[in-house]
Amino acid sequence: EVQLVESGGGLVQPGRSLRLSCTASGFTFGDYAMSWVRQAPGKGLEWVGFIRSKAYGGTTEYAASVKGRFTISRDDSKSIAYLQMNSLKTEDTAVYYCTRDPITMLHDYWGQGTLVTVSS
Amino acid sequence: EIVLTQSPGTLSLSPGERATLSCRASQSVSSSYLAWYQQKPGQAPRLLIYGASSRATGIPDRFSGSGSGTDFTLTISRLEPEDFAVYYCQQYGSSGTFGGGTKVEIK
């Protein structure tokens, strides 16, 4: 059974940093691209970024709203994807989901999400 | 960036009725890279349809997708109680943008 479990969310002040983790199980993690998608309270879905599998270079792409501030990485030996978030803004407050992507940005499995609240 | 516009914003229907949800793109979606997701309150989204018309694993056949280019439709042939939720379309050919969502509520 495919499982994705996010962790690392919480309350953080504007301008600070936070790192989210996504621990995967039930599939060969290294074969898939992984994405992060967020959802602000009461709002719709926003794609944040993805990381390709090593077979496709392990490269990353980001939404304009987070480019230069957020970084996605992966550790295939541990089946974990990371989202490093720097220079956080109040508008980054959201539930952050990690997803498995059989095609980049096609999200066939989702984690349960972790809430990040940016507030002073 | 491709903008996806979903309509209507809210659809009020009764169980057993047919639901037709629309998703219009600001420019052509390459290779029909259009997906639909369902989200219930307090839950993560679930993939329903990909490639505009292919059902994801385990999705009942009352859900169907159609369309190409800039106009896409999700149809639920007969609404079951568990189908009342918010539905999002998404294009995954470039930038992964989502539509604003359509809420299907019980009339």
Side-chain angles (χ1 to χ4, degrees):
Chain A
E1 178 194 6
V2 173
Q3 284 196 316
L4 300 170
V5 179
E6 301 94 339
S7 59
L11 175 63
V12 61
Q13 293 179 327
R16 304 297 292 265
S17 298
L18 200 63
R19 188 178 80 160
L20 306 183
S21 300
C22 170
T23 303
S25 60
F27 66 100
T28 304
F29 181 78
D31 287 350
Y32 288 84
M34 299 294 293
S35 280
W36 289 90
V37 176
R38 68 184 180 183
Q39 186 169 36
K43 302 297 184 182
L45 301 169
E46 180 188 18
W47 169 74
V48 171
F50 69 77
I51 185 166
R52 294 181 176 88
S53 66
K54 291 289 196 298
Y56 289 89
T59 52
T60 54
E61 300 286 344
Y62 301 95
S65 58
V66 306
K67 196 169 186 178
R69 299 189 298 123
F70 288 12
T71 301
I72 298 173
S73 59
R74 63 190 299 155
D75 184 337
D76 290 353
S77 68
K78 296 181 179 178
S79 296
I80 300 177
Y82 300 99
L83 177 63
Q84 177 68 43
M85 303 184 292
N86 298 333
S87 303
L88 282 161
K89 306 175 181 180
T90 55
E91 54 263 41
D92 295 320
T93 294
V95 173
Y96 285 74
Y97 296 100
C98 76
T99 76
R100 187 184 84 162
D101 294 5
I103 299 172
T104 52
M105 298 182 287
L106 173 62
H107 315 299
D108 69 345
Y109 285 92
W110 298 61
Q112 85 289 351
T114 188
L115 177 62
V116 173
T117 302
V118 184
S119 174
S120 55
Chain B
E1 176 180 297
I2 297 177
V3 176
L4 299 177
T5 301
Q6 292 188 241
S7 61
T10 302
L11 200 51
S12 298
L13 295 168
S14 300
E17 290 194 292
R18 182 185 188 88
T20 303
L21 287 67
S22 174
C23 176
R24 178 161 290 177
S26 60
Q27 54 188 283
S28 185
V29 175
S30 62
S31 304
S32 292
Y33 277 5
L34 194 287
W36 291 92
Y37 300 85
Q38 176 194 66
Q39 187 178 33
K40 298 178 183 179
Q43 295 185 18
R46 176 174 71 146
L47 177 65
L48 298 176
I49 300 287
Y50 64 94
S53 60
S54 298
R55 273 187 299 277
T57 302
I59 302 303
D61 60 7
R62 64 179 181 274
F63 291 92
S64 63
S66 62
S68 64
T70 60
D71 289 297
F72 298 88
T73 300
L74 175 70
T75 302
I76 311 171
S77 59
R78 289 177 57 85
L79 282 164
E80 297 288 339
E82 62 268 28
D83 299 336
F84 292 91
V86 179
Y87 293 83
Y88 294 95
C89 62
Q90 181 226 9
Q91 64 84 20
Y92 51 98
S94 65
S95 77
T97 48
F98 291 88
T102 291
K103 181 179 181 180
V104 179
E105 65 176 22
I106 299 176
K107 186 174 182 180

PDB file of all heavy atoms in Angstrom, chain B residues 55-88:
ATOM      1  N   ARG B  55      -9.773   6.874 -16.071  1.00  0.00           N
ATOM      2  CA  ARG B  55     -10.043   6.796 -14.633  1.00  0.00           C
ATOM      3  C   ARG B  55      -8.827   6.262 -13.890  1.00  0.00           C
ATOM      4  O   ARG B  55      -8.162   5.313 -14.343  1.00  0.00           O
ATOM      5  CB  ARG B  55     -11.239   5.887 -14.359  1.00  0.00           C
ATOM      6  CG  ARG B  55     -12.584   6.593 -14.426  1.00  0.00           C
ATOM      7  CD  ARG B  55     -13.709   5.669 -13.981  1.00  0.00           C
ATOM      8  NE  ARG B  55     -13.793   4.490 -14.841  1.00  0.00           N
ATOM      9  CZ  ARG B  55     -14.424   4.466 -16.003  1.00  0.00           C
ATOM     10  NH1 ARG B  55     -15.030   5.554 -16.443  1.00  0.00           N
ATOM     11  NH2 ARG B  55     -14.453   3.364 -16.726  1.00  0.00           N
ATOM     12  N   ALA B  56      -8.557   6.861 -12.736  1.00  0.00           N
ATOM     13  CA  ALA B  56      -7.474   6.381 -11.887  1.00  0.00           C
ATOM     14  C   ALA B  56      -7.882   5.049 -11.241  1.00  0.00           C
ATOM     15  O   ALA B  56      -9.060   4.669 -11.255  1.00  0.00           O
ATOM     16  CB  ALA B  56      -7.144   7.419 -10.817  1.00  0.00           C
ATOM     17  N   THR B  57      -6.912   4.375 -10.667  1.00  0.00           N
ATOM     18  CA  THR B  57      -7.145   3.081 -10.046  1.00  0.00           C
ATOM     19  C   THR B  57      -8.230   3.170  -8.970  1.00  0.00           C
ATOM     20  O   THR B  57      -8.183   4.035  -8.094  1.00  0.00           O
ATOM     21  CB  THR B  57      -5.846   2.565  -9.400  1.00  0.00           C
ATOM     22  OG1 THR B  57      -4.839   2.489 -10.395  1.00  0.00           O
ATOM     23  CG2 THR B  57      -6.062   1.183  -8.786  1.00  0.00           C
ATOM     24  N   GLY B  58      -9.221   2.263  -9.068  1.00  0.00           N
ATOM     25  CA  GLY B  58     -10.245   2.176  -8.036  1.00  0.00           C
ATOM     26  C   GLY B  58     -11.374   3.179  -8.136  1.00  0.00           C
ATOM     27  O   GLY B  58     -12.260   3.192  -7.277  1.00  0.00           O
ATOM     28  N   ILE B  59     -11.370   3.994  -9.178  1.00  0.00           N
ATOM     29  CA  ILE B  59     -12.427   5.003  -9.334  1.00  0.00           C
ATOM     30  C   ILE B  59     -13.639   4.382 -10.024  1.00  0.00           C
ATOM     31  O   ILE B  59     -13.498   3.774 -11.093  1.00  0.00           O
ATOM     32  CB  ILE B  59     -11.918   6.225 -10.115  1.00  0.00           C
ATOM     33  CG1 ILE B  59     -10.711   6.848  -9.403  1.00  0.00           C
ATOM     34  CG2 ILE B  59     -13.032   7.243 -10.316  1.00  0.00           C
ATOM     35  CD1 ILE B  59     -10.963   7.256  -7.969  1.00  0.00           C
ATOM     36  N   PRO B  60     -14.828   4.544  -9.437  1.00  0.00           N
ATOM     37  CA  PRO B  60     -16.033   3.923 -10.032  1.00  0.00           C
ATOM     38  C   PRO B  60     -16.335   4.466 -11.423  1.00  0.00           C
ATOM     39  O   PRO B  60     -16.026   5.634 -11.722  1.00  0.00           O
ATOM     40  CB  PRO B  60     -17.150   4.311  -9.051  1.00  0.00           C
ATOM     41  CG  PRO B  60     -16.475   4.721  -7.795  1.00  0.00           C
ATOM     42  CD  PRO B  60     -15.125   5.231  -8.174  1.00  0.00           C
ATOM     43  N   ASP B  61     -17.003   3.652 -12.232  1.00  0.00           N
ATOM     44  CA  ASP B  61     -17.250   4.064 -13.627  1.00  0.00           C
ATOM     45  C   ASP B  61     -18.369   5.080 -13.769  1.00  0.00           C
ATOM     46  O   ASP B  61     -18.661   5.531 -14.884  1.00  0.00           O
ATOM     47  CB  ASP B  61     -17.477   2.862 -14.526  1.00  0.00           C
ATOM     48  CG  ASP B  61     -18.677   2.029 -14.109  1.00  0.00           C
ATOM     49  OD1 ASP B  61     -19.419   2.458 -13.204  1.00  0.00           O
ATOM     50  OD2 ASP B  61     -18.868   0.938 -14.676  1.00  0.00           O
ATOM     51  N   ARG B  62     -18.991   5.498 -12.652  1.00  0.00           N
ATOM     52  CA  ARG B  62     -19.945   6.617 -12.747  1.00  0.00           C
ATOM     53  C   ARG B  62     -19.211   7.944 -12.970  1.00  0.00           C
ATOM     54  O   ARG B  62     -19.840   8.940 -13.348  1.00  0.00           O
ATOM     55  CB  ARG B  62     -20.842   6.706 -11.516  1.00  0.00           C
ATOM     56  CG  ARG B  62     -20.137   7.011 -10.213  1.00  0.00           C
ATOM     57  CD  ARG B  62     -21.144   7.091  -9.064  1.00  0.00           C
ATOM     58  NE  ARG B  62     -20.522   7.411  -7.781  1.00  0.00           N
ATOM     59  CZ  ARG B  62     -19.999   6.497  -6.981  1.00  0.00           C
ATOM     60  NH1 ARG B  62     -20.056   5.213  -7.313  1.00  0.00           N
ATOM     61  NH2 ARG B  62     -19.438   6.863  -5.825  1.00  0.00           N
ATOM     62  N   PHE B  63     -17.905   7.963 -12.741  1.00  0.00           N
ATOM     63  CA  PHE B  63     -17.086   9.150 -13.021  1.00  0.00           C
ATOM     64  C   PHE B  63     -16.503   9.021 -14.422  1.00  0.00           C
ATOM     65  O   PHE B  63     -15.875   8.012 -14.755  1.00  0.00           O
ATOM     66  CB  PHE B  63     -15.930   9.280 -12.019  1.00  0.00           C
ATOM     67  CG  PHE B  63     -16.361   9.615 -10.618  1.00  0.00           C
ATOM     68  CD1 PHE B  63     -16.608   8.603  -9.699  1.00  0.00           C
ATOM     69  CD2 PHE B  63     -16.519  10.934 -10.221  1.00  0.00           C
ATOM     70  CE1 PHE B  63     -17.002   8.905  -8.404  1.00  0.00           C
ATOM     71  CE2 PHE B  63     -16.901  11.251  -8.932  1.00  0.00           C
ATOM     72  CZ  PHE B  63     -17.161  10.227  -8.021  1.00  0.00           C
ATOM     73  N   SER B  64     -16.688  10.062 -15.237  1.00  0.00           N
ATOM     74  CA  SER B  64     -16.090  10.059 -16.558  1.00  0.00           C
ATOM     75  C   SER B  64     -15.602  11.456 -16.910  1.00  0.00           C
ATOM     76  O   SER B  64     -16.181  12.459 -16.483  1.00  0.00           O
ATOM     77  CB  SER B  64     -17.075   9.549 -17.617  1.00  0.00           C
ATOM     78  OG  SER B  64     -18.182  10.421 -17.708  1.00  0.00           O
ATOM     79  N   GLY B  65     -14.532  11.496 -17.685  1.00  0.00           N
ATOM     80  CA  GLY B  65     -13.977  12.763 -18.128  1.00  0.00           C
ATOM     81  C   GLY B  65     -13.944  12.817 -19.640  1.00  0.00           C
ATOM     82  O   GLY B  65     -13.808  11.793 -20.307  1.00  0.00           O
ATOM     83  N   SER B  66     -14.080  14.026 -20.163  1.00  0.00           N
ATOM     84  CA  SER B  66     -14.046  14.204 -21.611  1.00  0.00           C
ATOM     85  C   SER B  66     -13.478  15.581 -21.927  1.00  0.00           C
ATOM     86  O   SER B  66     -13.304  16.424 -21.034  1.00  0.00           O
ATOM     87  CB  SER B  66     -15.440  14.050 -22.211  1.00  0.00           C
ATOM     88  OG  SER B  66     -16.314  15.058 -21.703  1.00  0.00           O
ATOM     89  N   GLY B  67     -13.202  15.787 -23.205  1.00  0.00           N
ATOM     90  CA  GLY B  67     -12.735  17.084 -23.665  1.00  0.00           C
ATOM     91  C   GLY B  67     -11.326  17.054 -24.202  1.00  0.00           C
ATOM     92  O   GLY B  67     -10.603  16.062 -24.078  1.00  0.00           O
ATOM     93  N   SER B  68     -10.947  18.157 -24.817  1.00  0.00           N
ATOM     94  CA  SER B  68      -9.609  18.335 -25.359  1.00  0.00           C
ATOM     95  C   SER B  68      -9.394  19.817 -25.646  1.00  0.00           C
ATOM     96  O   SER B  68     -10.355  20.599 -25.627  1.00  0.00           O
ATOM     97  CB  SER B  68      -9.401  17.514 -26.630  1.00  0.00           C
ATOM     98  OG  SER B  68     -10.283  17.972 -27.645  1.00  0.00           O
ATOM     99  N   GLY B  69      -8.136  20.170 -25.886  1.00  0.00           N
ATOM    100  CA  GLY B  69      -7.844  21.564 -26.203  1.00  0.00           C
ATOM    101  C   GLY B  69      -8.024  22.474 -25.000  1.00  0.00           C
ATOM    102  O   GLY B  69      -7.184  22.471 -24.097  1.00  0.00           O
ATOM    103  N   THR B  70      -9.094  23.232 -24.980  1.00  0.00           N
ATOM    104  CA  THR B  70      -9.333  24.172 -23.888  1.00  0.00           C
ATOM    105  C   THR B  70     -10.592  23.871 -23.076  1.00  0.00           C
ATOM    106  O   THR B  70     -10.838  24.536 -22.068  1.00  0.00           O
ATOM    107  CB  THR B  70      -9.433  25.615 -24.408  1.00  0.00           C
ATOM    108  OG1 THR B  70     -10.519  25.688 -25.334  1.00  0.00           O
ATOM    109  CG2 THR B  70      -8.138  26.055 -25.101  1.00  0.00           C
ATOM    110  N   ASP B  71     -11.388  22.911 -23.480  1.00  0.00           N
ATOM    111  CA  ASP B  71     -12.658  22.646 -22.808  1.00  0.00           C
ATOM    112  C   ASP B  71     -12.755  21.192 -22.349  1.00  0.00           C
ATOM    113  O   ASP B  71     -12.663  20.269 -23.163  1.00  0.00           O
ATOM    114  CB  ASP B  71     -13.838  22.970 -23.726  1.00  0.00           C
ATOM    115  CG  ASP B  71     -14.004  24.460 -23.930  1.00  0.00           C
ATOM    116  OD1 ASP B  71     -14.272  25.158 -22.928  1.00  0.00           O
ATOM    117  OD2 ASP B  71     -13.835  24.919 -25.067  1.00  0.00           O
ATOM    118  N   PHE B  72     -12.956  21.035 -21.043  1.00  0.00           N
ATOM    119  CA  PHE B  72     -12.988  19.718 -20.436  1.00  0.00           C
ATOM    120  C   PHE B  72     -14.194  19.600 -19.504  1.00  0.00           C
ATOM    121  O   PHE B  72     -14.666  20.605 -18.955  1.00  0.00           O
ATOM    122  CB  PHE B  72     -11.695  19.470 -19.646  1.00  0.00           C
ATOM    123  CG  PHE B  72     -10.464  19.503 -20.515  1.00  0.00           C
ATOM    124  CD1 PHE B  72      -9.801  20.705 -20.760  1.00  0.00           C
ATOM    125  CD2 PHE B  72      -9.981  18.349 -21.111  1.00  0.00           C
ATOM    126  CE1 PHE B  72      -8.679  20.747 -21.579  1.00  0.00           C
ATOM    127  CE2 PHE B  72      -8.862  18.378 -21.922  1.00  0.00           C
ATOM    128  CZ  PHE B  72      -8.214  19.580 -22.161  1.00  0.00           C
ATOM    129  N   THR B  73     -14.664  18.347 -19.355  1.00  0.00           N
ATOM    130  CA  THR B  73     -15.853  18.102 -18.537  1.00  0.00           C
ATOM    131  C   THR B  73     -15.653  16.874 -17.673  1.00  0.00           C
ATOM    132  O   THR B  73     -15.105  15.863 -18.133  1.00  0.00           O
ATOM    133  CB  THR B  73     -17.088  17.878 -19.437  1.00  0.00           C
ATOM    134  OG1 THR B  73     -17.296  19.040 -20.247  1.00  0.00           O
ATOM    135  CG2 THR B  73     -18.335  17.627 -18.607  1.00  0.00           C
ATOM    136  N   LEU B  74     -16.091  16.973 -16.423  1.00  0.00           N
ATOM    137  CA  LEU B  74     -16.189  15.815 -15.532  1.00  0.00           C
ATOM    138  C   LEU B  74     -17.675  15.541 -15.344  1.00  0.00           C
ATOM    139  O   LEU B  74     -18.434  16.453 -14.980  1.00  0.00           O
ATOM    140  CB  LEU B  74     -15.535  16.091 -14.184  1.00  0.00           C
ATOM    141  CG  LEU B  74     -15.701  14.976 -13.129  1.00  0.00           C
ATOM    142  CD1 LEU B  74     -14.887  13.746 -13.514  1.00  0.00           C
ATOM    143  CD2 LEU B  74     -15.281  15.478 -11.742  1.00  0.00           C
ATOM    144  N   THR B  75     -18.065  14.305 -15.592  1.00  0.00           N
ATOM    145  CA  THR B  75     -19.465  13.911 -15.420  1.00  0.00           C
ATOM    146  C   THR B  75     -19.557  12.815 -14.373  1.00  0.00           C
ATOM    147  O   THR B  75     -18.787  11.850 -14.403  1.00  0.00           O
ATOM    148  CB  THR B  75     -20.056  13.414 -16.748  1.00  0.00           C
ATOM    149  OG1 THR B  75     -19.949  14.437 -17.738  1.00  0.00           O
ATOM    150  CG2 THR B  75     -21.521  13.030 -16.569  1.00  0.00           C
ATOM    151  N   ILE B  76     -20.492  13.002 -13.453  1.00  0.00           N
ATOM    152  CA  ILE B  76     -20.833  11.947 -12.484  1.00  0.00           C
ATOM    153  C   ILE B  76     -22.237  11.503 -12.857  1.00  0.00           C
ATOM    154  O   ILE B  76     -23.201  12.270 -12.737  1.00  0.00           O
ATOM    155  CB  ILE B  76     -20.778  12.456 -11.033  1.00  0.00           C
ATOM    156  CG1 ILE B  76     -19.458  13.199 -10.775  1.00  0.00           C
ATOM    157  CG2 ILE B  76     -20.930  11.285 -10.059  1.00  0.00           C
ATOM    158  CD1 ILE B  76     -19.399  13.922  -9.439  1.00  0.00           C
ATOM    159  N   SER B  77     -22.361  10.269 -13.343  1.00  0.00           N
ATOM    160  CA  SER B  77     -23.613   9.855 -13.984  1.00  0.00           C
ATOM    161  C   SER B  77     -24.791   9.813 -12.995  1.00  0.00           C
ATOM    162  O   SER B  77     -25.893  10.248 -13.327  1.00  0.00           O
ATOM    163  CB  SER B  77     -23.433   8.497 -14.653  1.00  0.00           C
ATOM    164  OG  SER B  77     -23.038   7.523 -13.696  1.00  0.00           O
ATOM    165  N   ARG B  78     -24.571   9.259 -11.826  1.00  0.00           N
ATOM    166  CA  ARG B  78     -25.598   9.208 -10.798  1.00  0.00           C
ATOM    167  C   ARG B  78     -24.919   9.463  -9.456  1.00  0.00           C
ATOM    168  O   ARG B  78     -24.121   8.641  -9.000  1.00  0.00           O
ATOM    169  CB  ARG B  78     -26.301   7.846 -10.764  1.00  0.00           C
ATOM    170  CG  ARG B  78     -27.215   7.572 -11.936  1.00  0.00           C
ATOM    171  CD  ARG B  78     -27.807   6.155 -11.828  1.00  0.00           C
ATOM    172  NE  ARG B  78     -28.518   5.960 -10.568  1.00  0.00           N
ATOM    173  CZ  ARG B  78     -29.789   6.294 -10.370  1.00  0.00           C
ATOM    174  NH1 ARG B  78     -30.486   6.877 -11.342  1.00  0.00           N
ATOM    175  NH2 ARG B  78     -30.380   6.074  -9.210  1.00  0.00           N
ATOM    176  N   LEU B  79     -25.239  10.581  -8.836  1.00  0.00           N
ATOM    177  CA  LEU B  79     -24.574  10.969  -7.605  1.00  0.00           C
ATOM    178  C   LEU B  79     -24.901  10.025  -6.454  1.00  0.00           C
ATOM    179  O   LEU B  79     -26.069   9.742  -6.174  1.00  0.00           O
ATOM    180  CB  LEU B  79     -24.968  12.394  -7.220  1.00  0.00           C
ATOM    181  CG  LEU B  79     -24.278  13.514  -8.003  1.00  0.00           C
ATOM    182  CD1 LEU B  79     -25.011  14.830  -7.818  1.00  0.00           C
ATOM    183  CD2 LEU B  79     -22.820  13.652  -7.576  1.00  0.00           C
ATOM    184  N   GLU B  80     -23.848   9.548  -5.819  1.00  0.00           N
ATOM    185  CA  GLU B  80     -23.971   8.781  -4.589  1.00  0.00           C
ATOM    186  C   GLU B  80     -23.720   9.734  -3.411  1.00  0.00           C
ATOM    187  O   GLU B  80     -23.076  10.774  -3.587  1.00  0.00           O
ATOM    188  CB  GLU B  80     -22.946   7.646  -4.566  1.00  0.00           C
ATOM    189  CG  GLU B  80     -23.136   6.621  -5.673  1.00  0.00           C
ATOM    190  CD  GLU B  80     -24.358   5.728  -5.446  1.00  0.00           C
ATOM    191  OE1 GLU B  80     -24.828   5.623  -4.279  1.00  0.00           O
ATOM    192  OE2 GLU B  80     -24.828   5.121  -6.424  1.00  0.00           O
ATOM    193  N   PRO B  81     -24.197   9.393  -2.213  1.00  0.00           N
ATOM    194  CA  PRO B  81     -23.992  10.298  -1.060  1.00  0.00           C
ATOM    195  C   PRO B  81     -22.523  10.665  -0.834  1.00  0.00           C
ATOM    196  O   PRO B  81     -22.231  11.788  -0.418  1.00  0.00           O
ATOM    197  CB  PRO B  81     -24.542   9.471   0.114  1.00  0.00           C
ATOM    198  CG  PRO B  81     -25.571   8.586  -0.509  1.00  0.00           C
ATOM    199  CD  PRO B  81     -25.032   8.230  -1.871  1.00  0.00           C
ATOM    200  N   GLU B  82     -21.613   9.746  -1.129  1.00  0.00           N
ATOM    201  CA  GLU B  82     -20.187  10.008  -0.898  1.00  0.00           C
ATOM    202  C   GLU B  82     -19.554  10.902  -1.965  1.00  0.00           C
ATOM    203  O   GLU B  82     -18.382  11.261  -1.851  1.00  0.00           O
ATOM    204  CB  GLU B  82     -19.406   8.686  -0.797  1.00  0.00           C
ATOM    205  CG  GLU B  82     -19.429   7.823  -2.034  1.00  0.00           C
ATOM    206  CD  GLU B  82     -20.558   6.791  -2.025  1.00  0.00           C
ATOM    207  OE1 GLU B  82     -21.595   7.060  -1.383  1.00  0.00           O
ATOM    208  OE2 GLU B  82     -20.380   5.736  -2.665  1.00  0.00           O
ATOM    209  N   ASP B  83     -20.306  11.262  -3.004  1.00  0.00           N
ATOM    210  CA  ASP B  83     -19.756  12.075  -4.086  1.00  0.00           C
ATOM    211  C   ASP B  83     -19.872  13.571  -3.808  1.00  0.00           C
ATOM    212  O   ASP B  83     -19.326  14.385  -4.570  1.00  0.00           O
ATOM    213  CB  ASP B  83     -20.459  11.764  -5.407  1.00  0.00           C
ATOM    214  CG  ASP B  83     -20.292  10.320  -5.834  1.00  0.00           C
ATOM    215  OD1 ASP B  83     -19.302   9.682  -5.407  1.00  0.00           O
ATOM    216  OD2 ASP B  83     -21.142   9.833  -6.604  1.00  0.00           O
ATOM    217  N   PHE B  84     -20.567  13.952  -2.767  1.00  0.00           N
ATOM    218  CA  PHE B  84     -20.713  15.379  -2.458  1.00  0.00           C
ATOM    219  C   PHE B  84     -19.396  15.863  -1.847  1.00  0.00           C
ATOM    220  O   PHE B  84     -18.985  15.431  -0.773  1.00  0.00           O
ATOM    221  CB  PHE B  84     -21.916  15.608  -1.564  1.00  0.00           C
ATOM    222  CG  PHE B  84     -23.204  15.334  -2.280  1.00  0.00           C
ATOM    223  CD1 PHE B  84     -23.783  14.063  -2.245  1.00  0.00           C
ATOM    224  CD2 PHE B  84     -23.814  16.311  -3.051  1.00  0.00           C
ATOM    225  CE1 PHE B  84     -24.952  13.785  -2.947  1.00  0.00           C
ATOM    226  CE2 PHE B  84     -24.980  16.047  -3.748  1.00  0.00           C
ATOM    227  CZ  PHE B  84     -25.551  14.778  -3.698  1.00  0.00           C
ATOM    228  N   ALA B  85     -18.753  16.759  -2.590  1.00  0.00           N
ATOM    229  CA  ALA B  85     -17.373  17.136  -2.296  1.00  0.00           C
ATOM    230  C   ALA B  85     -16.998  18.312  -3.190  1.00  0.00           C
ATOM    231  O   ALA B  85     -17.832  18.821  -3.948  1.00  0.00           O
ATOM    232  CB  ALA B  85     -16.436  15.954  -2.561  1.00  0.00           C
ATOM    233  N   VAL B  86     -15.732  18.730  -3.107  1.00  0.00           N
ATOM    234  CA  VAL B  86     -15.195  19.747  -4.011  1.00  0.00           C
ATOM    235  C   VAL B  86     -14.339  19.043  -5.067  1.00  0.00           C
ATOM    236  O   VAL B  86     -13.574  18.123  -4.745  1.00  0.00           O
ATOM    237  CB  VAL B  86     -14.357  20.787  -3.248  1.00  0.00           C
ATOM    238  CG1 VAL B  86     -13.783  21.821  -4.220  1.00  0.00           C
ATOM    239  CG2 VAL B  86     -15.213  21.484  -2.194  1.00  0.00           C
ATOM    240  N   TYR B  87     -14.478  19.486  -6.306  1.00  0.00           N
ATOM    241  CA  TYR B  87     -13.747  18.892  -7.422  1.00  0.00           C
ATOM    242  C   TYR B  87     -12.854  19.960  -8.067  1.00  0.00           C
ATOM    243  O   TYR B  87     -13.301  21.071  -8.327  1.00  0.00           O
ATOM    244  CB  TYR B  87     -14.727  18.316  -8.452  1.00  0.00           C
ATOM    245  CG  TYR B  87     -15.484  17.135  -7.900  1.00  0.00           C
ATOM    246  CD1 TYR B  87     -16.623  17.327  -7.114  1.00  0.00           C
ATOM    247  CD2 TYR B  87     -15.049  15.839  -8.132  1.00  0.00           C
ATOM    248  CE1 TYR B  87     -17.305  16.242  -6.573  1.00  0.00           C
ATOM    249  CE2 TYR B  87     -15.723  14.748  -7.603  1.00  0.00           C
ATOM    250  CZ  TYR B  87     -16.850  14.964  -6.820  1.00  0.00           C
ATOM    251  OH  TYR B  87     -17.511  13.884  -6.286  1.00  0.00           O
ATOM    252  N   TYR B  88     -11.610  19.555  -8.303  1.00  0.00           N
ATOM    253  CA  TYR B  88     -10.643  20.445  -8.934  1.00  0.00           C
ATOM    254  C   TYR B  88     -10.146  19.840 -10.237  1.00  0.00           C
ATOM    255  O   TYR B  88      -9.857  18.641 -10.299  1.00  0.00           O
ATOM    256  CB  TYR B  88      -9.415  20.644  -8.041  1.00  0.00           C
ATOM    257  CG  TYR B  88      -9.681  21.369  -6.736  1.00  0.00           C
ATOM    258  CD1 TYR B  88      -9.926  20.667  -5.558  1.00  0.00           C
ATOM    259  CD2 TYR B  88      -9.668  22.761  -6.681  1.00  0.00           C
ATOM    260  CE1 TYR B  88     -10.158  21.328  -4.363  1.00  0.00           C
ATOM    261  CE2 TYR B  88      -9.894  23.428  -5.490  1.00  0.00           C
ATOM    262  CZ  TYR B  88     -10.149  22.707  -4.335  1.00  0.00           C
ATOM    263  OH  TYR B  88     -10.374  23.370  -3.151  1.00  0.00           O
TER     264      TYR B  88
END
